[in-house]
Amino acid sequence: MRRGPRAVLALGLLFFRLAQANFAPHFFDNGVGSTNGNMALFSLPEDTPVGSHVYTLNGTDPEGDPVSYHISFDPSARNIFSVDPNFGSITLVEELDREREDEIEAIISISDGLNLVAEKVTILVTDANDEAPRFIQEPYVVQVPEDTPAGSSITKVRAVDRDTGSGGSVTYFLKNPHASKFAVDRHSGVLRLQAGATLDYEKARAHFITVVAKDGGGRLRGADVVFSATTTVTVNVEDVQDMAPVFVGTPYYGYVYEDTLPGSEVLTVVAMDGDRGKPNRILYSLVNGSDEAFEINETSGAISVMQSPAQLRREVYELHVQVTEVSSAGTPAAQAMVPVIIRIVDLNNHPPTFYGESGPQNRFELSMYEHPPQGEILRGLKITVNDSDQGANAKFNLRLVGPGGIFRVVPQTVLNEAQVTIIVENSAAIDFEKFKVLTFKLLAIEVNTPEKFSSTADVVIQLLDTNDNVPKFTSHYYIARIPENAPGGSNVVAVTAVDPDTGPWGEVKYSIYGSGADLFQIHPSSGIICTQPWASLDAEATARYHFYVKAEDMEGRYSLAEVFVTLLDVNDHYPQFGKSVQETTMVLGTPVKIEATDQDAEEPNNLVDYSITHAEPANVFDIDVHTGEIRLKNSIRSLGALHNITRSGDHMWSLEVQAKDRGSPSFSTTALLKIDIVDTEMLSRSPMAAFLMQTKDNPMKAVGVLAGIMAIIVAITVLISTATFWRNKKSNKVLPVRRVLRKRPSPAPRAIRIEWLKFRRTKAADKFVLREDPPNENCNNNSLGSALPPKAPAPPPPPSVAPSVGAAPWTVPTVSGSLARRHPERSPKPKAVGSPVQSALVSELRQKFEKNVHNKAYF
């Protein structure tokens, strides 16, 4: 079949349009139970957690274009779900509650961008056991008569559960079934009185029963759960007339006293219906035992005596009172009876009464001395006590009311009447200094009576003083301070002693004694201690005084106290140097020390500071202000440096040194110090020179050393002589006594001349030279340009034995050194003896020794 050109063109246009058409997307329908597709017949449990992925929308586009998903709800409904537009995942965003909403309507849609397909779906919410039973018609309050038969129905409780299935079924039971008189039907909730149980209004007027409602259980969030609820049923028991009357306050006792008037009420009996919920009226009556002496009010139960007590024939009456209930109909009902005991007794109308010598009395006075003997009776008190009643009404106790333990009363228990005696129990407490007046209450009080009648009397004791106290100082010791320059008669301290006694016994007389009391005196009545008018105090001689002060009364009772007096030091002494002009030798590099003492007793008065007040030149020496050590300045380290300071080159320096104390006002003293300076190199060459230098300022030290050496030589000589004597005695030999007398040659006259030390520009060893000149014809040692040395002491006489031929020249030891004897045949040639330093020291020590010997010889 051939087609024309127009047909072919139309067919081509049809195919082109088909090629350009776009078909709408659609959901997959996967049926019931599927979790993806178009949510057809989809259901969801109400306990699904919020945020859970619950479903996946699934669809396709015929052209294979990408699709998007959407879900929407009615504007008045909640947006329960949300959807992922790209993947179609549906998420729960709101909590489900089947009891409130069991179906959810939503509109789901799918779109490929051009076409939108929407479908309306219904989602079923399935039940979960999330509801607890709930009681209705609460509260449950029931009124039940106490005579309700066992097994009777009381009330019905009802609870509902909104869940379905087993979770909505409810059963009932009691919380404490074993402790209850009631039971509940587990299905209907009917509450009954158990078989064999009874109600009693008199024992329990109300019962409270706890009923539990429980559902059948079910699944909730993947677990099996059971819910329950409770309610309380209140059963109020109604009273029924089934109890006899009951008396209150039994047993009953009454008393009729001697002054009771006829018609007076003795006592009242009280009864009430045992059925207190609905009580009947009560009537009282006397059955027997009254002998017409007593009557009872039938409505109030008051029993009255109808006769005078003097007419009553018996002491004890036993009455029988009957009580009868009257029903609402006016007929007698239940009855009860009780005995009543009535005693006829004497009236206790007389209290105890105190009597003195002239009749009733309530105040007794007495004067007595303090501290009476223990156990003494206060005989000045005449007291009688009496009670006019009879029997037990007349029995009473006696006691003293006041300061305890001082007195006691006898007797302590009285029947009718007794003489009262007061005895001293504590003598030390009866002290006039503590109590001028002692006041007591004498109390009498009945023992076995209901009234407990009592009476009192004042006992006033005036105490008289005795001398029973020792004067006592206000302190065990007194400390006083007084300046040492206080004039005679100055007050030191006032002591005080107190004697509590009165009158002449309280007057105190003072006196002092002891080894330190000589310089002091005390006023006998005021106790003021002062120095003696002639006393001169000196803190340097005695700084502290210690003595005793005595306080004594007129009978010789006394006490002592210690007094300590300290003299306050006053700066009244000047610092004192040993000598106003002192000479000393200083070894180069070693300080010399000057010392002054202050006789004051205390610091700072006896502390001394040193200073150099004058020196020429002033830049050579330094002095330690506290110790008095004088040393060369640090810049002077050699004799050459000293030579450069002074033109004359003199080695002897004069300093004016001041010693000043630290007192107020301050005192000072000056001394002239002459210092000879030597070099240490000279001292190192001769040990003897070093020793003499050390003892230069203390020549007695050198004398002591020499005396010690001589004592050792004498001791050795005695030992040798003793040994020789005993050896000769043992040999029994008689040796001839020979005595050789030799004439001692007279020594040639000699004199020693020691020149002064002078500084020269030669070596240090040649600065000090000792020269000895030969004797001249005029027997003097004077030479031009040299000073006359001090005269040496005369040598001791020579020994009696002749010296051996060729023996060394003998020497005479002195304090300053040794004077060597020269041989007569030798020519008078000057010769240096020892080192120059040693010779100079020998000369200086010899001068000091001569002065000491001269002073000792003078004294």
Side-chain angles (χ1 to χ4, degrees):
M1 180 178 176
R2 297 182 65 183
R3 297 179 180 178
R6 185 174 294 178
V8 173
L9 180 60
L11 184 61
L13 290 173
L14 178 61
F15 279 110
F16 177 78
R17 288 181 178 179
L18 289 174
Q20 294 296 323
N22 189 349
F23 296 96
H26 62 87
F27 285 102
F28 293 119
D29 186 2
N30 296 327
V32 179
S34 176
T35 60
N36 61 80
N38 60 354
M39 298 185 76
L41 301 176
F42 177 64
S43 63
L44 188 65
E46 65 175 331
D47 60 347
T48 302
V50 176
S52 301
H53 172 259
V54 298
Y55 198 84
T56 302
L57 295 177
N58 192 6
T60 184
D61 183 73
E63 289 80 21
D65 293 333
V67 296
S68 61
Y69 304 96
H70 304 278
I71 186 170
S72 61
F73 300 90
D74 186 89
S76 62
R78 298 182 300 158
N79 294 333
I80 305 282
F81 302 101
S82 65
V83 64
D84 187 321
N86 297 321
F87 300 100
S89 299
I90 294 178
T91 303
L92 180 65
V93 296
E94 290 284 345
E95 187 176 348
L96 301 177
D97 187 0
R98 187 202 65 82
E99 287 74 25
R100 187 175 63 176
E101 188 177 8
D102 58 354
E103 290 183 354
I104 302 172
E105 291 184 352
I107 298 174
I108 60 174
S109 61
I110 183 171
S111 173
D112 62 357
L114 296 177
N115 301 302
L116 176 67
V117 178
E119 296 181 6
K120 185 176 182 179
V121 296
T122 300
I123 302 157
L124 301 178
V125 180
T126 61
D127 187 35
N129 189 23
D130 60 343
E131 295 287 337
R134 183 174 59 85
F135 284 94
I136 60 176
Q137 299 176 355
E138 290 184 307
Y140 297 100
V141 180
V142 185
Q143 304 294 331
V144 181
E146 64 176 331
D147 58 352
T148 299
S152 299
S153 175
I154 303 299
T155 187
K156 181 180 180 180
V157 296
R158 183 169 178 264
V160 295
D161 193 323
R162 294 166 52 185
D163 290 324
T164 61
S166 63
S169 63
V170 179
T171 57
Y172 306 92
F173 61 92
L174 298 182
K175 188 173 183 180
N176 297 312
H178 301 290
S180 177
K181 296 182 178 183
F182 303 90
V184 66
D185 188 275
R186 61 180 288 108
H187 299 293
S188 64
V190 175
L191 188 65
R192 301 178 183 276
L193 186 63
Q194 286 189 13
T198 59
L199 301 178
D200 190 349
Y201 176 86
E202 286 71 30
K203 293 182 178 179
R205 298 185 181 185
H207 298 271
F208 302 95
I209 305 125
T210 302
V211 181
V212 180
K214 181 177 69 172
D215 63 15
R219 301 286 293 179
L220 178 64
R221 296 182 181 87
D224 293 327
V225 295
V226 177
F227 289 101
S228 63
T230 61
T231 187
T232 300
V233 179
T234 301
V235 179
N236 292 323
V237 182
E238 295 180 347
D239 193 17
V240 177
Q241 287 294 332
D242 60 349
M243 298 293 293
V246 178
F247 286 96
V248 179
T250 59
Y252 293 109
Y253 295 96
Y255 300 91
V256 177
Y257 297 97
E258 58 181 343
D259 59 349
T260 303
L261 299 177
S264 300
E265 182 179 324
V266 179
L267 79 160
T268 300
V269 297
V270 179
M272 60 179 60
D273 190 355
D275 301 308
R276 300 181 184 180
K278 296 179 180 180
N280 290 328
R281 189 163 58 96
I282 301 295
L283 296 178
Y284 300 93
S285 63
L286 288 176
V287 178
N288 56 24
S290 65
D291 293 342
E292 298 180 357
F294 299 92
E295 289 184 357
I296 188 170
N297 188 300
E298 66 175 5
T299 57
S300 66
I303 301 176
S304 303
V305 60
M306 306 309 296
Q307 297 178 4
S308 172
Q311 297 174 349
L312 299 178
R313 300 175 183 177
R314 291 183 289 176
E315 293 184 0
V316 178
Y317 287 84
E318 183 175 353
L319 309 181
H320 293 272
V321 178
Q322 178 178 284
V323 63
T324 303
E325 291 185 14
V326 179
S327 65
S328 59
T331 60
Q335 296 179 341
M337 188 176 293
V338 68
V340 177
I341 306 300
I342 298 178
R343 294 180 179 274
I344 310 302
V345 295
D346 180 31
L347 181 64
N348 183 26
N349 54 358
H350 295 92
T353 305
F354 292 98
Y355 295 89
E357 294 180 344
S358 59
Q361 188 174 335
N362 58 5
R363 181 180 178 87
F364 300 89
E365 295 185 2
L366 173 69
S367 296
M368 61 179 295
Y369 285 101
E370 61 178 334
H371 305 301
Q374 202 86 1
E376 180 176 331
I377 297 174
L378 305 187
R379 303 186 183 279
L381 294 176
K382 305 294 183 180
I383 305 174
T384 303
V385 63
N386 175 269
D387 191 328
S388 300
D389 292 320
Q390 301 298 320
N393 293 335
K395 186 177 181 180
F396 55 93
N397 289 337
L398 281 176
R399 68 171 182 264
L400 281 174
V401 180
I406 300 179
F407 299 99
R408 62 185 176 92
V409 62
V410 176
Q412 296 183 353
T413 301
V414 179
L415 183 61
N416 291 118
E417 183 176 308
Q419 185 74 28
V420 179
T421 302
I422 298 178
I423 302 175
V424 175
E425 193 171 38
N426 185 359
S427 176
I430 307 174
D431 192 350
F432 176 82
E433 286 70 34
K434 294 180 181 179
F435 310 101
K436 303 295 187 296
V437 178
L438 290 174
T439 302
F440 296 88
K441 288 282 188 182
L442 187 58
L443 174 63
I445 183 170
E446 293 178 347
V447 179
N448 298 322
T449 62
E451 297 80 8
K452 298 291 183 182
F453 288 135
S454 64
S455 61
T456 60
D458 294 328
V459 179
V460 180
I461 300 175
Q462 300 284 343
L463 294 182
L464 303 177
D465 193 20
T466 61
N467 188 21
D468 60 332
N469 289 283
V470 176
K472 290 186 178 180
F473 283 96
T474 56
S475 176
H476 294 294
Y477 57 89
Y478 295 88
I479 299 175
R481 295 175 176 85
I482 184 174
E484 64 175 332
N485 61 350
S490 299
N491 290 343
V492 179
V493 66
V495 299
T496 304
V498 178
D499 192 330
D501 293 322
T502 59
W505 294 319
E507 296 178 0
V508 179
K509 181 180 179 182
Y510 300 96
S511 59
I512 60 175
Y513 69 95
S515 58
D518 298 337
L519 299 180
F520 302 92
Q521 62 182 358
I522 188 171
H523 194 279
S525 59
S526 66
I528 297 177
I529 300 176
C530 59
T531 59
Q532 295 282 4
W534 47 264
S536 177
L537 305 179
D538 188 0
E540 290 74 32
T542 304
R544 293 175 180 83
Y545 293 89
H546 171 220
F547 53 88
Y548 293 90
V549 59
K550 179 179 180 181
E552 185 177 10
D553 63 12
M554 64 176 297
E555 291 188 352
R557 293 174 175 264
Y558 69 91
S559 64
L560 302 176
E562 293 182 273
V563 179
F564 299 89
V565 179
T566 301
L567 298 186
L568 300 178
D569 186 39
V570 177
N571 192 21
D572 55 352
H573 288 83
Y574 285 80
Q576 296 293 329
F577 288 101
K579 297 178 181 179
S580 60
V581 178
Q582 302 184 28
E583 296 181 3
T584 185
T585 300
M586 175 186 290
V587 178
L588 191 65
T590 303
V592 296
K593 185 176 182 180
I594 188 170
E595 186 174 6
T597 57
D598 193 313
Q599 298 300 323
D600 286 314
E602 297 178 358
E603 298 179 356
N605 297 334
N606 58 5
L607 297 180
V608 179
D609 294 334
Y610 301 90
S611 63
I612 298 176
T613 58
H614 181 72
E616 280 296 335
N619 57 350
V620 175
F621 297 97
D622 285 330
I623 188 169
D624 190 296
V625 68
H626 300 299
T627 63
E629 289 187 351
I630 301 175
R631 61 178 68 243
L632 294 173
K633 289 185 175 294
N634 295 332
S635 59
I636 302 176
R637 299 183 178 180
S638 64
L639 293 178
L642 281 175
H643 180 72
N644 294 333
I645 293 176
T646 177
R647 296 180 180 178
S648 62
D650 193 1
H651 63 279
M652 184 67 69
W653 300 79
S654 296
L655 305 177
E656 186 179 74
V657 180
Q658 182 187 62
K660 184 178 181 180
D661 63 25
R662 300 183 188 178
S664 179
S666 178
F667 296 111
S668 62
T669 304
T670 59
L672 183 62
L673 177 64
K674 295 182 179 181
I675 301 177
D676 190 8
I677 303 177
V678 298
D679 197 350
T680 55
E681 295 180 0
M682 300 178 183
L683 296 178
S684 61
R685 297 181 182 180
S686 174
M688 179 60 70
F691 171 76
L692 294 176
M693 179 62 68
Q694 293 176 1
T695 59
K696 177 181 179 182
D697 296 332
N698 189 6
M700 296 307 297
K701 181 178 180 181
V703 173
V705 172
L706 294 177
I709 295 173
M710 295 178 65
I712 293 173
I713 295 174
V714 171
I716 294 174
T717 303
V718 171
L719 290 175
I720 294 174
S721 301
T722 303
T724 303
F725 172 77
W726 285 105
R727 186 187 62 182
N728 295 336
K729 185 176 181 180
K730 289 181 179 180
S731 62
N732 294 325
K733 294 181 180 180
V734 179
L735 297 178
V737 177
R738 293 184 300 173
R739 186 174 185 182
V740 179
L741 299 177
R742 293 183 182 182
K743 184 178 180 182
R744 177 183 178 184
S746 59
R750 58 195 178 99
I752 298 175
R753 179 173 176 267
I754 302 174
E755 293 188 356
W756 297 99
L757 297 176
K758 295 182 179 180
F759 288 109
R760 296 183 180 180
R761 298 182 178 271
T762 59
K763 296 182 181 181
D766 299 329
K767 292 181 181 180
F768 304 96
V769 179
L770 178 67
R771 298 182 180 278
E772 185 177 5
D773 296 333
N776 55 20
E777 294 178 357
N778 296 327
C779 297
N780 59 43
N781 293 326
N782 295 330
S783 61
L784 295 176
S786 63
L788 183 64
K791 184 178 181 181
S800 58
V801 294
S804 59
V805 179
W810 57 269
T811 60
V812 179
T814 65
V815 174
S816 302
S818 299
L819 301 178
R821 178 194 175 199
R822 289 181 298 176
H823 200 274
E825 287 78 13
R826 289 188 177 185
S827 62
K829 183 179 180 180
K831 181 179 180 181
V833 180
S835 64
V837 175
Q838 179 178 353
S839 301
L841 295 176
V842 167
S843 174
E844 185 174 352
L845 290 175
R846 183 164 52 239
Q847 294 177 20
K848 293 186 176 183
F849 178 76
E850 288 175 355
K851 294 178 181 180
N852 292 336
V853 171
H854 175 71
N855 293 335
K856 290 181 179 180
Y858 176 76
F859 287 107

